């Protein structure tokens, strides 16, 4: 095989070339350097471990259709590889280098960093695109960071992704649904576009399994000999990290309350250990807020131990300004404590962290296709995740990781790898995306991990009932194609389409925008205070109409941040609602929806919501004293979440937009309905006798 490498670069020294294209390169430069924050940016770049593999990486990308790069977080692969590719000419002639991330926050942070390193304005040569936010300049942007989901949507307009020369799928080991679908589709695209280069990059990926997935059969290779010198066998390159030794500490006995244990561990580290920032892994926003409250109380009660702590939260729902705080230098005389979800496990690198506190848990989605209930559950992490978390402590000097679980549990009970998201999620959005891309035989699609047939059947059933798929499981025209055009959950998209017939599209687009963000309310220590404030906006019809009231109040105030502060409304969230609303109005006009207000005719608003969410209907149990509902489909026992304005009101019939599971199954975003609207919206889905509460 002829070998290529970029002109003007040193020929890579090949140590071994195994069957199957597994290549091992020697790195001659010493790995002892850790100095970040000194010298100019170019020197910092050269100190990153991945820099020593620059020639090897460019050589592999030149000679292999697919390159799999395994490198620890912090090796610099995410920020440097796209720059290496640009410097080697892969963005010449108007072509674009894409780098995908599973999380929006990572996309923004990495794009900012790369733009800074290249000395360019973000949005010009380096840009990013996430859902509802596009900071790129067509014809100018050469390196584009984007979420996996956004790249999938781009395929709807350009199925072969023709403008991209190289696509780097980063953090592939996280195995999000979008990543798995993307890998399957990129494999198909490569057959049609042999010149497209793929880089699959990850921290703990099972490289051999990924290599097998991308291998092209001998027969096919014979048909694709148009680029004779391009190897169709994936190459694997392992990039060592710049890790220092990390001491692991386990608890002797299992802890009863991991949040409290995490807080007390941080305080004892601060009391007994030398300087260095602390990274704490908890499961979500609620845990993080609880921990911050505990630190505040601790500082009040015992100033000595915790007054020197500079505590910052990190989760995806934070505003950009709040997220950026975690990257800022630690104030003099303070110790930074970042309390994060698993977002800091791989996607982001926090310099200065010497101590890690690992709760051993993360929030994971689990879907039961039989009961059709998708729960966000606090579940134990895998060994792969535990190692990732520990590795965050060894970036700048030897560190320590405090695991809030026993060593025996880690060795004997913890699973080695997490379950891919595709095998534990509702597949409605995935199915419609594949259908919109012309993949009709979804069961025959080449998945990196096969989804469950039950989940697939359930998704097809719901999409059929929404009128999105026809009897042959093809997208209906125009409804199916219109729903696929809107970058939201198909139920929300159907709600928007129904508002067109009912003449309330302006109101429904507002509701859809609010449903697209985590929460419009400020998290406050006093739930009682928040409940009292909510009463100013509360509508007897439920949360969806309450959202309209908040939005109207915000507009009347002149979009005032003071008004938001006074009413416990999250100002950043409302600004995001305005942005999303503008984008949705543009999409609505593009697909032929007439923008019209119903002038407070709430009946049509509620009917439109029902038209989208009829599958999520519940009925109050007769003689129920504790507000127990049963889902009409599946007869699950559920309760209205305390954050809903209908908590304790308990109307007879309701629909909900999401369900969370803690000690009970709780319904969020709840609205009261008339059961006759269900048969009106979906006669083929509901039969009148099933809805009749008499004679059950």
């Amino acid at each position: 095989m002829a070998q290529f490498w970029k002109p003007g670069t040193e020929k890579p020294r090949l140590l071994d070339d195994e069957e199957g294209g597994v290549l091992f390169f020697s790195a001659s430069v010493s790995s002892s350097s850790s100095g970040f924050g000194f010298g100019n940016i170019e020197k910092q770049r050269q100190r990153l471990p991945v820099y020593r593999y620059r020639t090897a990486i460019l050589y592999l990308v030149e000679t292999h259709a697919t390159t799999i790069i395994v490198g620890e977080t912090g090796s610099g692969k995410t920020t440097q590889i796209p720059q290496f590719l640009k410097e080697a000419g892969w963005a010449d002639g108007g072509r674009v280098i894409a780098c995908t991330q599973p999380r929006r926050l990572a996309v923004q942070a990495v794009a900012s960093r790369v733009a800074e390193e290249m000395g360019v304005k973000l949005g010009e040569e380096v840009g990013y695109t996430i859902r509802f936010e596009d900071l790129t300049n067509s014809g100018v942007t050469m390196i584009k960071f984007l979420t996996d989901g956004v790249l999938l949507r781009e395929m709807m307009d350009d199925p072969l992704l023709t403008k991209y020369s190289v696509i780097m799928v980063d953090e592939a080991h996280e195995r999000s649904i979008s990543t798995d679908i993307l890998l399957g589709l990129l494999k198909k695209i490569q057959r049609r576009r042999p010149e497209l280069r793929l880089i699959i990059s990850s921290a703990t990926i099972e490289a051999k399994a990924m290599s097998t997935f991308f291998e092209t059969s001998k027969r096919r290779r014979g048909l694709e000999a148009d680029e004779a010198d391009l190897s169709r066998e994936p190459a694997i390159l392992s990039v060592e990290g710049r890790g220092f030794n990390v001491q692991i500490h386990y608890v002797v006995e299992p802890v009863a309350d991991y949040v409290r244990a995490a807080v007390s561990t941080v305080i004892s580290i601060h009391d007994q250990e030398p300087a260095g920032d602390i990274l704490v892994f908890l499961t979500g926003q609620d845990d993080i807020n609880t921990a911050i409250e505990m630190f505040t109380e601790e500082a009040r009660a015992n100033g000595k131990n915790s007054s020197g702590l500079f505590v910052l939260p990190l989760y995806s729902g934070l505003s950009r300004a709040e997220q950026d705080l975690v990257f800022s230098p630690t104030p003099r005389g303070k110790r930074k404590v970042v309390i994060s979800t698993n977002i800091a496990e791989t996607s982001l690198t926090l310099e200065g962290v010497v101590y890690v506190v690992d709760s051993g848990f993360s929030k994971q989605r689990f879907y039961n296709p039989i009961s059709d209930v998708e729960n966000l559950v606090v579940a134990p992490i895998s060994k792969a995740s535990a190692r990732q978390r520990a590795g965050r402590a060894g970036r700048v000097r030897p560190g320590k990781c405090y695991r809030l679980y026993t060593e025996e549990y880690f060795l004997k009970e913890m699973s080695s790898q997490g379950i891919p998201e595709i095998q534990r999620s509702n597949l409605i959005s995935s199915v419609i995306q594949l259908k919109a891309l012309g993949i009709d035989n979804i069961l025959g699609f080449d998945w990196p991990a096969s989804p469950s047939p039950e989940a697939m059947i359930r998704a097809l059933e719901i999409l059929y009932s929404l009128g999105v798929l026809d009897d042959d499981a093809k997208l209906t025209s125009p409804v199916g194609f219109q729903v696929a055009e809107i970058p939201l959950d198909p139920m929300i998209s159907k709600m928007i389409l129904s508002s067109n017939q009912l003449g309330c599209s302006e109101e429904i687009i507002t509701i859809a925008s609010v449903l697209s963000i985590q929460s419009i309310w400020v998290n406050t220590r006093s739930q009682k205070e928040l409940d009292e404030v909510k009463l100013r906006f509360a509508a007897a019809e439920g949360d969806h109409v309450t959202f309209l009231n908040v939005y109207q109040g915000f507009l009347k105030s002149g979009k005032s941040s003071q008004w938001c502060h006074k009413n416990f409304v999250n100002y950043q969230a409302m600004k995001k609602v305005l942005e999303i609303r503008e984008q949705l109005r543009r999409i609505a006009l593009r697909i032929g929806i007439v923008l019209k207000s119903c002038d407070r005719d709430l009946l049509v608003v509620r009917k439109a919501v029902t038209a989208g969410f009829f599958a999520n209907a519940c009925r109050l149990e007769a003689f129920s004293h504790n507000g127990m509902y049963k889902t009409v489909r599946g007869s699950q026992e559920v309760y209205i979440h305390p954050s809903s304005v209908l908590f304790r009101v308990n109307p007879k019939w309701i629909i909900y937009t999401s369900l969370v599971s803690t000690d009970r199954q709780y319904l969020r975003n709840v609205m009261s309905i008339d059961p006759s609207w269900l048969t009106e919206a979906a006669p083929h889905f509901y039969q009148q006798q099933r809805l009749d509460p008499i004679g059950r």
Side-chain angles (χ1 to χ4, degrees):
M1 181 188 89
Q3 297 188 348
F4 296 84
W5 53 91
K6 285 288 165 188
T9 61
E10 178 196 349
K11 179 178 174 180
R13 282 185 293 143
L14 231 53
L15 290 192
D16 192 4
D17 183 359
E18 291 187 354
E19 186 62 49
V22 182
L23 291 140
F24 299 93
F25 286 85
S26 69
S28 53
V29 185
S30 152
S31 66
S32 62
S33 162
S34 72
F36 234 79
F38 301 100
N40 60 23
I41 280 178
E42 192 51 40
K43 280 194 181 135
Q44 288 182 16
R45 286 187 66 196
Q46 289 172 15
R47 286 192 188 105
L48 288 167
V50 76
Y51 191 81
R52 291 176 281 123
Y53 298 87
R54 183 182 189 279
T55 309
I57 290 165
L58 292 175
Y59 169 78
L60 290 180
V61 173
E62 183 82 25
T63 55
H64 289 74
T66 304
T67 304
I68 295 162
I69 296 179
V70 185
E72 288 174 30
T73 304
S75 59
K77 59 189 187 309
T78 307
T79 55
Q80 301 310 303
I81 292 173
Q83 292 185 70
F84 297 163
L85 293 167
K86 181 196 164 287
E87 289 155 6
W90 287 96
D92 294 353
R95 297 180 300 168
V96 181
I97 296 156
C99 177
T100 74
Q101 299 286 326
R103 292 186 173 86
R104 299 158 61 98
L105 173 54
V107 168
Q108 293 168 308
V110 173
S112 297
R113 175 67 194 176
V114 171
E116 185 189 336
E117 288 187 6
M118 286 173 58
V120 299
K121 185 168 178 274
L122 185 60
E124 299 297 317
E125 286 94 331
V126 178
Y128 72 80
T129 310
I130 56 179
R131 192 176 68 157
F132 301 127
E133 196 176 328
D134 183 358
L135 207 62
T136 59
N137 186 337
S138 183
V140 177
T141 300
M142 297 177 170
I143 298 176
K144 180 172 169 181
F145 292 91
L146 64 176
T147 54
D148 303 335
V150 165
L151 189 59
L152 285 176
R153 295 207 73 80
E154 284 190 12
M155 284 186 206
M156 287 170 70
D157 295 324
D158 179 11
L160 294 178
L161 298 172
T162 51
K163 69 181 175 195
Y164 297 110
S165 58
V166 185
I167 295 172
M168 174 171 167
V169 181
D170 200 15
E171 310 295 2
H173 64 275
E174 290 204 14
R175 299 299 299 277
S176 71
I177 290 192
S178 295
T179 304
D180 272 15
I181 294 177
L182 185 61
L183 293 173
L185 288 167
L186 288 173
K187 185 177 173 181
K188 282 175 85 74
I189 289 172
Q190 263 190 333
R191 288 184 200 138
R192 300 278 300 278
R193 278 192 67 203
E195 78 284 2
L196 174 69
R197 302 296 199 276
L198 297 181
I199 298 175
I200 314 298
S201 142
S202 156
T204 57
I205 202 169
E206 293 172 14
K208 205 70 193 133
M210 195 55 71
S211 172
T212 306
F213 177 71
F214 275 99
E215 250 167 42
T216 317
S217 70
K218 299 278 188 286
R219 190 179 57 81
R220 271 219 73 91
R221 233 182 316 157
L223 301 173
E224 292 169 343
D226 53 342
E227 288 202 17
D229 294 320
L230 183 69
S231 171
R232 312 307 301 173
E233 299 292 331
I236 300 173
L237 174 67
S238 184
V239 175
E240 66 201 48
R242 191 184 47 193
F244 289 84
N245 186 41
V246 176
Q247 275 182 26
I248 308 287
H249 299 265
Y250 293 91
V251 293
V252 181
E253 295 289 325
V255 300
D257 179 344
Y258 61 83
V259 179
R260 191 165 291 284
V263 171
S264 59
T265 305
V266 167
I267 290 166
S268 61
I269 291 170
H270 185 50
D271 207 23
Q272 296 161 22
E273 295 288 344
D277 294 343
I278 304 170
L279 173 59
V280 182
F281 285 101
L282 294 179
T283 65
Q285 193 175 334
D286 294 345
D287 276 358
I288 291 169
N289 289 331
T290 304
I292 289 171
E293 278 177 35
M294 286 180 183
F295 279 118
T296 311
E297 281 161 19
E298 184 71 31
R300 257 192 228 116
N302 181 8
K304 178 178 79 72
N305 277 1
S306 50
S307 59
L309 297 177
F310 178 50
V311 183
L312 294 170
L314 181 61
Y315 51 86
S316 57
L318 286 173
S319 71
R320 189 69 202 280
E322 289 171 305
Q323 289 168 2
D324 287 346
L325 273 177
V326 302
F327 301 107
S328 61
T330 308
R332 201 181 182 86
K334 294 272 188 186
R335 190 199 293 264
K336 191 194 289 178
V337 180
V338 177
I339 311 181
S340 176
T341 59
N342 58 356
I343 195 164
E345 201 175 286
T346 55
S347 305
L348 299 171
T349 294
L350 299 171
E351 294 296 334
V353 169
V354 180
Y355 308 99
V356 164
V357 179
D358 173 14
S359 66
F361 292 97
S362 68
K363 263 197 183 151
Q364 297 169 36
R365 213 175 282 284
F366 284 96
Y367 175 62
N368 179 342
I370 309 303
S371 61
D372 190 40
V373 172
E374 185 170 56
N375 297 330
L376 204 54
V377 180
V378 172
I381 59 169
S382 65
K383 281 181 182 159
S385 284
R387 289 192 187 101
Q388 280 291 109
R389 291 180 174 189
R392 317 306 273 147
R395 290 294 320 283
V396 286
R397 63 169 191 259
K400 294 184 178 182
C401 174
Y402 298 83
R403 290 177 170 164
L404 304 180
Y405 40 92
T406 63
E407 186 172 18
E408 187 183 29
Y409 171 75
F410 174 78
L411 294 171
K412 295 183 179 169
E413 291 181 53
M414 204 178 246
S415 65
S416 56
Q417 295 284 338
I419 303 166
E421 195 182 11
I422 197 109
Q423 295 180 336
R424 50 183 172 82
S425 294
N426 185 327
L427 299 177
I428 291 182
S429 294
S430 311
V431 169
I432 195 168
Q433 230 162 7
L434 289 172
K435 291 282 181 190
L437 292 167
I439 313 282
D440 277 327
N441 180 12
I442 288 180
L443 293 172
F445 181 70
D446 199 352
W447 304 93
S450 299
S452 84
E454 295 85 356
M456 191 63 78
I457 289 160
R458 181 65 86 177
L460 292 167
E461 179 200 355
I462 295 275
L463 289 170
Y464 177 72
S465 70
L466 284 166
V468 170
L469 296 180
D470 62 17
D471 292 351
D472 299 322
K474 286 190 162 44
L475 282 184
T476 55
S477 184
V479 172
F481 287 97
Q482 287 173 320
V483 166
E485 276 278 309
I486 304 172
L488 295 170
D489 179 287
M491 288 180 168
I492 299 179
S493 305
K494 182 63 193 286
M495 172 180 90
I496 293 172
L497 289 182
S498 303
S499 71
N500 193 31
Q501 284 91 50
L502 291 160
C504 56
S505 52
E506 291 281 14
E507 286 78 6
I508 289 297
I509 285 172
T510 301
I511 290 169
S513 305
V514 175
L515 292 176
S516 298
I517 59 170
Q518 282 189 321
S519 174
I520 55 168
W521 303 105
V522 168
N523 273 300
T524 167
R525 293 180 66 190
S526 168
Q527 188 59 44
K528 187 169 173 289
E529 256 185 304
L530 179 59
D531 290 343
E532 283 168 11
V533 166
K534 276 188 183 177
L535 287 174
R536 297 174 199 166
F537 306 100
E541 294 84 0
D543 296 313
H544 302 72
V545 179
T546 302
F547 296 151
L548 285 179
N549 293 344
V550 175
Y551 179 75
Q552 289 304 327
F554 181 58
L555 292 189
K556 278 194 189 129
S557 77
K559 303 173 189 171
S560 148
S561 58
Q562 282 92 351
W563 178 89
C564 286
H565 182 71
K566 197 173 73 187
N567 290 294
F568 289 87
V569 171
N570 185 326
Y571 176 63
Q572 296 297 336
M574 290 311 290
K575 274 173 49 180
K576 196 79 201 151
V577 166
L578 290 174
E579 281 173 35
I580 293 172
R581 195 175 182 282
E582 261 322 293
Q583 296 236 18
L584 287 178
R585 287 179 90 243
R586 283 203 291 276
I587 293 166
L589 287 170
R590 193 173 75 230
I591 61 176
I593 290 175
V594 179
L595 297 174
K596 188 170 184 290
S597 169
C598 62
D599 296 324
R600 301 297 296 171
D601 178 0
L602 296 176
L603 186 70
V604 290
V605 170
R606 290 160 72 203
K607 281 190 168 186
V609 176
T610 306
F613 289 92
F614 57 80
N616 293 355
C618 304
R619 174 172 45 199
L620 183 67
E621 277 296 274
F623 316 116
S624 167
H625 302 299
N626 60 352
M628 185 179 83
Y629 284 80
K630 285 247 178 104
T631 56
V632 175
R633 199 164 50 110
S635 289
Q636 290 286 307
E637 289 185 9
V638 290
Y639 298 84
I640 294 176
H641 194 274
S643 65
S644 169
V645 298
L646 293 183
F647 181 61
R648 295 203 183 90
V649 178
N650 295 337
K652 202 168 203 171
W653 285 89
I654 56 170
I655 53 167
Y656 65 91
T657 56
S658 64
L659 186 149
V660 289
S661 179
T662 48
D663 51 332
R664 287 174 163 180
Q665 309 271 28
Y666 279 118
L667 310 174
R668 280 191 187 272
N669 305 326
V670 180
M671 188 184 78
S672 66
I673 58 161
D674 182 315
S676 66
W677 301 345
L678 297 172
T679 42
E680 202 178 299
H684 48 296
F685 193 76
Y686 285 117
Q687 293 158 341
Q688 189 61 51
Q689 62 266 32
R690 273 179 66 197
L691 297 177
D692 192 351
I694 299 161
R696 273 178 303 140

